[in-house]
Amino acid sequence: DIRRMLKIAERIFLSPELKIDDIIRSKFGGEDVMADRYRMHRALVRGEYDRFDEQENEFISNLFQTNPQRPASPLLGYYQLWLLRQKLYSARGNHDENVEASHWAVSGLVQMFEGCAVSDDQVIETLNRLYDRRLIEALDPNAERVGIGDRIAIKESGLAHLELLLNSTVYVEQMALVTGVNEPFIRDEMRRNNYPQNMSRLKDAFIRYILKIDAGRVAIPESPVYKEILLARRQIERMPVGPRTR
């Protein structure tokens, strides 16, 4: 989608994170601003604001967000994208050109997460949030919402969000600042560290919190059927903390 690509480029270059002088120097042999991944991610995620705002950002979604009225695990959307990515890679690895090979039946995902003690409606509600944010697609292009009878697949934007979540310090820091935290002790710890020099501690507290909540809401069986979900959780457990890196 060329229009969306141009809007993303506009968002980055108009962000206060990148100074016009730096952009001009980069054009004429100076340091390449595009090589500064940390600043680029801040420009993309924050835009013209001092922190992430999903309502004004049509390109970046908070994968940890959940329904405050009936909260699911903050990692449920991440697990769903992970499984759909594996489905896509499996189809590519088998050189299967059948479009349906990369799509997963919603009923199958519901059944899988049912074995993890996650209710059907939470699975479908989270899938529809991913669908509304254009991170997944339905086999039926005319579907306004996805339901139990649909088949879905991950989109390139969904793949990009997995990459951001697992590899971008900026993404996790910014989502930590806007995601609801219900434990006063963790919330206070995050507030105490809400300074640029302490962001790694804020991120550490946030990761510990979401893992704790996830463990209470998603009971992953020790079975080969659930090995990908277990692997996905371990990726979060292994996320680096400590000094912020670029």
Side-chain angles (χ1 to χ4, degrees):
D1 189 331
I2 296 177
R3 182 188 66 83
R4 285 175 62 83
M5 290 174 62
L6 290 174
K7 290 185 68 176
I8 290 175
E10 178 186 47
R11 177 182 183 84
I12 292 174
F13 285 107
L14 293 183
S15 168
E17 190 64 33
L18 300 181
K19 303 295 188 291
I20 187 65
D21 292 348
D22 294 338
I23 297 174
I24 294 174
R25 280 195 294 268
S26 174
K27 178 67 175 177
F28 293 99
E31 182 180 355
D32 186 1
V33 295
M34 299 293 287
D36 191 334
R37 189 172 182 178
Y38 184 79
R39 290 176 67 190
M40 291 294 294
H41 282 189
R42 281 171 65 93
L44 177 62
V45 175
R46 295 181 6 167
E48 300 178 15
Y49 297 80
D50 64 348
R51 66 175 58 186
F52 172 73
D53 183 344
E54 190 171 78
Q55 290 187 341
E56 67 80 33
N57 193 331
E58 64 176 295
F59 307 108
I60 304 295
S61 301
N62 183 359
L63 291 183
F64 304 111
Q65 187 65 45
T66 186
N67 184 350
Q69 304 301 321
R70 194 168 184 272
S73 164
L75 293 179
L76 182 56
Y78 160 69
Y79 290 149
Q80 292 171 342
L81 288 179
W82 180 283
L83 290 173
L84 291 172
R85 183 180 66 174
Q86 298 311 112
K87 180 72 169 176
L88 174 66
Y89 289 170
S90 176
R92 288 176 177 175
N94 293 330
H95 305 289
D96 195 334
E97 298 185 8
N98 181 359
V99 174
E100 291 191 21
S102 62
H103 286 68
W104 199 316
V106 172
S107 59
L109 283 170
V110 166
Q111 184 177 13
M112 172 165 284
F113 282 105
E114 189 177 64
C116 299
V118 181
S119 66
D120 299 5
D121 56 333
Q122 285 184 332
V123 174
I124 293 178
E125 181 179 2
T126 305
L127 286 174
N128 274 292
R129 172 172 162 76
L130 298 177
Y131 187 65
D132 291 340
R133 296 295 296 181
R134 302 185 182 188
L135 304 187
I136 63 174
E137 64 183 4
L139 188 60
D140 177 5
N142 299 315
E144 295 184 3
R145 287 179 59 82
V146 295
I148 197 75
D150 288 306
R151 297 181 65 87
I152 55 173
I154 193 169
K155 297 180 67 173
E156 290 296 330
S157 53
L159 295 173
H161 272 74
L162 283 176
E163 179 73 16
L164 281 172
L165 191 156
L166 294 171
N167 297 292
S168 172
T169 298
V170 172
Y171 180 84
V172 179
E173 289 175 356
Q174 289 297 308
M175 298 312 118
L177 292 174
V178 299
T179 302
V181 174
N182 291 325
E183 290 193 6
F185 177 79
I186 295 293
R187 189 165 58 240
D188 291 344
E189 181 180 355
M190 292 174 64
R191 285 174 178 169
R192 287 195 304 271
N193 291 293
N194 188 11
Y195 299 97
Q197 64 270 27
N198 290 341
M199 275 295 172
S200 61
R201 296 178 183 175
L202 182 147
K203 174 187 170 185
D204 183 19
F206 179 65
I207 291 173
R208 284 190 280 109
Y209 169 75
I210 61 173
L211 282 169
K212 178 181 177 181
I213 299 301
D214 178 68
R217 295 176 180 169
V218 179
I220 307 176
E222 291 285 348
S223 165
V225 175
Y226 295 92
K227 65 178 182 180
E228 287 298 336
I229 302 180
L230 282 169
L231 179 59
R233 177 184 280 174
R234 287 172 184 149
Q235 293 301 307
I236 302 296
E237 294 171 345
R238 295 169 183 164
M239 288 182 72
V241 295
R244 186 176 62 194
T245 57
R246 295 194 173 193

